[in-house]
Amino acid sequence: GTQPRDWDYNLPDGVTTRQITFYVDGGTPLYGKLFFPKGFQSSHRRPAVVVGHGINALSIGIEKYAARFAERGLVAMAIDYQSYGFSGSGSDDLKLLEADPTTDAQVVADKRLRVVVKRTNLNNAHEVDDYRAAISYLQGEPGVDPEAIGIWGSSNAGSVVIAVAAL
């Protein structure tokens, strides 16, 4: 699920989707995509599942699994962890590639400096928090049974869901 060639899938008949933003750690925005089964009505409660990706992957690479869960009657939510894909992050690594020539003697400085921004910051503890935030989001989603939410993980996320389940 890490390469664009792995991302292609057909949405099952009657399954609908909605992109959402949910939050972790007091405000870091995370990306999710909800998959609703055929005939979904918010007045009925359905079981749900949070679907997470592995290392250096994106939620788009596992959407096909979320679509299959929805085809079988569950509400599914594919997520990007913080610092992955469309999610924000408070933990991105931002480093200067050269010395900053500015000083405190100038109130305002306008300089061009080269920087490197590292995304996909692998942090299993953060991913546990991200799953828990996704579960909390689903507990408030109309049409989802808040007592029937499962978790599923691809690759490294298989070990993350064990930690989430333990909590």
Coordinates of all heavy atoms in Angstrom, one line a residue, residues 3-42:
Q3 N 2.8 2.3 -2.7 CA 3.1 2.8 -4.0 C 1.7 3.2 -4.7 O 0.7 2.5 -4.5 CB 3.8 1.8 -4.9 CG 5.1 1.4 -4.3 CD 6.1 2.5 -4.2 OE1 6.2 3.3 -5.2 NE2 6.8 2.6 -3.1
P4 N 1.7 4.2 -5.5 CA 0.5 4.6 -6.2 C -0.2 3.4 -7.0 O -1.4 3.4 -7.0 CB 0.9 5.7 -7.2 CG 2.1 6.3 -6.5 CD 2.8 5.2 -5.8
R5 N 0.6 2.5 -7.5 CA 0.0 1.4 -8.2 C -0.8 0.5 -7.2 O -1.7 -0.3 -7.7 CB 1.1 0.5 -8.8 CG 2.0 -0.2 -7.9 CD 3.1 -1.1 -8.6 NE 3.9 -1.7 -7.7 CZ 5.1 -1.2 -7.3 NH1 5.5 0.0 -7.7 NH2 5.8 -1.8 -6.4
D6 N -0.6 0.6 -5.9 CA -1.4 -0.2 -4.9 C -2.6 0.5 -4.5 O -3.4 -0.1 -3.7 CB -0.5 -0.4 -3.7 CG 0.8 -1.2 -4.0 OD1 0.7 -2.1 -4.8 OD2 1.8 -0.9 -3.4
W7 N -2.9 1.8 -4.9 CA -3.9 2.6 -4.4 C -5.3 2.4 -5.1 O -6.3 2.7 -4.5 CB -3.6 4.0 -4.4 CG -2.3 4.4 -3.6 CD1 -1.7 3.6 -2.7 CD2 -1.6 5.6 -3.7 NE1 -0.6 4.3 -2.2 CE2 -0.5 5.5 -2.8 CE3 -1.8 6.8 -4.3 CZ2 0.4 6.5 -2.6 CZ3 -0.9 7.8 -4.1 CH2 0.2 7.7 -3.3
D8 N -5.3 1.9 -6.3 CA -6.5 1.8 -7.1 C -7.4 0.7 -6.5 O -7.0 -0.4 -6.1 CB -6.1 1.4 -8.5 CG -7.2 1.6 -9.5 OD1 -8.1 2.5 -9.3 OD2 -7.3 0.8 -10.5
Y9 N -8.7 1.1 -6.4 CA -9.7 0.2 -6.0 C -11.1 0.7 -6.6 O -11.2 1.9 -6.9 CB -9.8 0.0 -4.5 CG -10.2 1.3 -3.8 CD1 -11.5 1.5 -3.4 CD2 -9.3 2.3 -3.4 CE1 -11.9 2.6 -2.7 CE2 -9.7 3.4 -2.8 CZ -11.0 3.6 -2.4 OH -11.4 4.7 -1.8
N10 N -12.0 -0.1 -6.6 CA -13.4 0.3 -7.0 C -14.2 0.4 -5.7 O -14.2 -0.6 -4.9 CB -14.0 -0.7 -8.0 CG -13.3 -0.7 -9.3 OD1 -12.9 0.4 -9.8 ND2 -13.0 -1.8 -9.9
L11 N -14.9 1.4 -5.6 CA -15.8 1.6 -4.4 C -17.0 0.6 -4.6 O -17.7 0.6 -5.6 CB -16.3 3.0 -4.3 CG -16.9 3.5 -3.0 CD1 -15.8 3.4 -1.9 CD2 -17.3 5.0 -3.1
P12 N -17.3 -0.3 -3.6 CA -18.4 -1.2 -3.8 C -19.7 -0.5 -4.0 O -19.9 0.6 -3.5 CB -18.3 -2.0 -2.5 CG -16.9 -1.9 -2.0 CD -16.5 -0.5 -2.4
D13 N -20.6 -1.2 -4.6 CA -21.9 -0.6 -4.9 C -22.6 -0.1 -3.7 O -22.7 -0.9 -2.7 CB -22.8 -1.7 -5.6 CG -24.2 -1.2 -6.0 OD1 -24.3 -0.1 -6.5 OD2 -25.2 -1.9 -5.7
G14 N -23.0 1.1 -3.7 CA -23.8 1.7 -2.6 C -23.0 2.2 -1.4 O -23.5 2.9 -0.6
V15 N -21.7 2.0 -1.4 CA -20.8 2.5 -0.4 C -20.5 3.9 -0.7 O -20.2 4.3 -1.8 CB -19.5 1.7 -0.3 CG1 -18.5 2.3 0.7 CG2 -19.8 0.2 0.2
T16 N -20.6 4.8 0.3 CA -20.3 6.2 0.2 C -19.2 6.6 1.1 O -18.9 5.9 2.1 CB -21.6 7.1 0.5 OG1 -22.0 6.8 1.8 CG2 -22.7 6.8 -0.5
T17 N -18.6 7.8 0.8 CA -17.4 8.2 1.6 C -17.6 9.7 2.0 O -18.4 10.4 1.4 CB -16.1 8.1 0.9 OG1 -16.1 8.9 -0.3 CG2 -15.9 6.6 0.4
R18 N -16.9 10.1 3.0 CA -16.8 11.5 3.5 C -15.4 11.7 4.1 O -15.0 11.0 5.0 CB -17.9 11.8 4.5 CG -18.0 13.3 4.8 CD -19.1 13.6 5.7 NE -18.7 13.4 7.1 CZ -19.5 12.7 8.0 NH1 -20.6 12.2 7.7 NH2 -19.0 12.6 9.2
Q19 N -14.7 12.8 3.6 CA -13.5 13.1 4.2 C -13.7 14.0 5.5 O -14.6 14.8 5.5 CB -12.6 13.9 3.3 CG -12.1 13.1 2.1 CD -11.3 13.9 1.1 OE1 -10.9 15.1 1.4 NE2 -10.9 13.3 0.0
I20 N -12.9 13.7 6.5 CA -13.1 14.4 7.8 C -11.8 14.8 8.4 O -10.7 14.3 8.0 CB -13.9 13.5 8.8 CG1 -13.2 12.2 9.1 CG2 -15.3 13.3 8.4 CD1 -12.7 12.0 10.4
T21 N -11.9 15.8 9.3 CA -10.7 16.2 10.1 C -11.1 15.9 11.6 O -12.2 16.3 12.0 CB -10.4 17.7 9.9 OG1 -10.1 17.9 8.6 CG2 -9.2 18.1 10.8
F22 N -10.2 15.2 12.3 CA -10.4 15.1 13.7 C -9.1 15.5 14.4 O -8.1 15.8 13.7 CB -10.9 13.6 14.1 CG -9.9 12.5 13.7 CD1 -9.1 11.9 14.7 CD2 -9.7 12.2 12.4 CE1 -8.2 10.9 14.4 CE2 -8.7 11.2 12.1 CZ -8.0 10.5 13.1
Y23 N -9.1 15.5 15.7 CA -8.0 16.2 16.4 C -7.4 15.3 17.5 O -8.1 14.5 18.1 CB -8.4 17.5 17.0 CG -8.9 18.4 15.9 CD1 -10.2 18.5 15.5 CD2 -8.0 19.3 15.3 CE1 -10.6 19.3 14.5 CE2 -8.4 20.1 14.3 CZ -9.7 20.1 13.9 OH -10.1 21.0 12.9
V24 N -6.1 15.4 17.7 CA -5.4 14.7 18.8 C -4.5 15.6 19.6 O -4.1 16.7 19.0 CB -4.6 13.5 18.2 CG1 -3.4 14.0 17.3 CG2 -4.1 12.6 19.2
D25 N -4.3 15.3 20.8 CA -3.3 16.1 21.6 C -3.7 17.6 21.7 O -2.8 18.4 21.5 CB -1.9 15.9 21.1 CG -1.4 14.5 21.4 OD1 -1.9 13.8 22.3 OD2 -0.4 14.1 20.7
G26 N -4.9 17.9 21.9 CA -5.3 19.3 22.1 C -5.3 20.1 20.8 O -5.3 21.4 20.9
G27 N -5.3 19.6 19.7 CA -5.4 20.4 18.5 C -4.7 20.0 17.2 O -4.9 20.7 16.2
T28 N -3.9 19.0 17.2 CA -3.2 18.5 16.0 C -4.3 17.9 15.1 O -4.9 16.9 15.4 CB -2.1 17.5 16.3 OG1 -1.1 18.1 17.1 CG2 -1.4 17.1 15.0
P29 N -4.5 18.5 13.9 CA -5.5 18.0 13.0 C -5.0 16.7 12.3 O -3.9 16.7 11.7 CB -5.7 19.2 12.0 CG -4.4 19.9 12.0 CD -3.8 19.7 13.4
L30 N -5.9 15.8 12.3 CA -5.6 14.5 11.6 C -6.7 14.3 10.5 O -7.8 14.7 10.6 CB -5.7 13.3 12.6 CG -4.7 13.4 13.7 CD1 -4.8 12.1 14.6 CD2 -3.3 13.6 13.3
Y31 N -6.3 13.6 9.4 CA -7.1 13.3 8.3 C -7.7 11.9 8.4 O -7.1 11.0 8.8 CB -6.3 13.4 7.0 CG -7.0 12.9 5.8 CD1 -7.9 13.7 5.1 CD2 -6.9 11.6 5.3 CE1 -8.6 13.3 4.0 CE2 -7.5 11.1 4.2 CZ -8.4 12.0 3.5 OH -9.1 11.5 2.4
G32 N -9.0 11.9 8.1 CA -9.7 10.6 8.0 C -10.6 10.6 6.8 O -11.1 11.6 6.3
K33 N -10.9 9.4 6.4 CA -11.9 9.2 5.4 C -12.9 8.1 5.9 O -12.5 7.0 6.2 CB -11.3 8.8 4.0 CG -12.3 8.8 2.9 CD -11.6 8.6 1.5 CE -12.5 8.7 0.4 NZ -11.8 8.5 -0.9
L34 N -14.2 8.5 6.0 CA -15.2 7.6 6.4 C -15.8 6.9 5.2 O -16.0 7.5 4.1 CB -16.3 8.4 7.1 CG -15.9 9.0 8.5 CD1 -17.1 9.9 9.0 CD2 -15.6 7.9 9.5
F35 N -16.1 5.6 5.4 CA -16.8 4.7 4.4 C -18.1 4.2 5.0 O -18.0 3.6 6.1 CB -15.9 3.6 4.0 CG -14.7 4.0 3.2 CD1 -13.6 4.6 3.9 CD2 -14.6 3.8 1.9 CE1 -12.5 5.0 3.1 CE2 -13.5 4.2 1.1 CZ -12.4 4.8 1.8
F36 N -19.2 4.5 4.4 CA -20.5 4.1 4.9 C -21.1 3.0 4.1 O -21.0 3.1 2.8 CB -21.4 5.3 4.9 CG -21.0 6.5 5.8 CD1 -20.3 7.6 5.2 CD2 -21.2 6.4 7.1 CE1 -19.9 8.6 6.0 CE2 -20.8 7.5 7.9 CZ -20.1 8.6 7.4
P37 N -21.6 2.0 4.7 CA -22.2 0.9 4.0 C -23.5 1.3 3.2 O -24.1 2.3 3.5 CB -22.5 -0.2 5.0 CG -22.6 0.6 6.3 CD -21.7 1.8 6.2
K38 N -23.8 0.5 2.2 CA -25.0 0.6 1.4 C -26.2 0.7 2.4 O -26.3 -0.1 3.3 CB -25.1 -0.5 0.4 CG -26.3 -0.4 -0.5 CD -26.3 -1.6 -1.5 CE -27.4 -1.4 -2.5 NZ -27.4 -2.5 -3.5
G39 N -27.1 1.7 2.1 CA -28.3 1.8 2.9 C -28.0 2.4 4.3 O -28.9 2.4 5.2
F40 N -26.9 3.0 4.5 CA -26.6 3.6 5.8 C -27.6 4.7 6.2 O -27.9 5.5 5.4 CB -25.1 4.2 5.8 CG -24.8 4.9 7.1 CD1 -24.4 4.2 8.2 CD2 -24.9 6.3 7.2 CE1 -24.0 4.8 9.4 CE2 -24.6 6.9 8.4 CZ -24.2 6.2 9.5
Q41 N -28.0 4.6 7.4 CA -28.9 5.6 8.0 C -28.4 6.0 9.3 O -28.1 5.2 10.2 CB -30.3 5.1 8.1 CG -31.0 4.8 6.8 CD -32.4 4.2 7.0 OE1 -33.0 4.4 8.1 NE2 -32.9 3.5 6.0
S42 N -28.3 7.3 9.6 CA -27.7 7.8 10.8 C -28.6 7.5 12.0 O -28.2 7.5 13.2 CB -27.4 9.3 10.8 OG -28.6 10.0 10.5

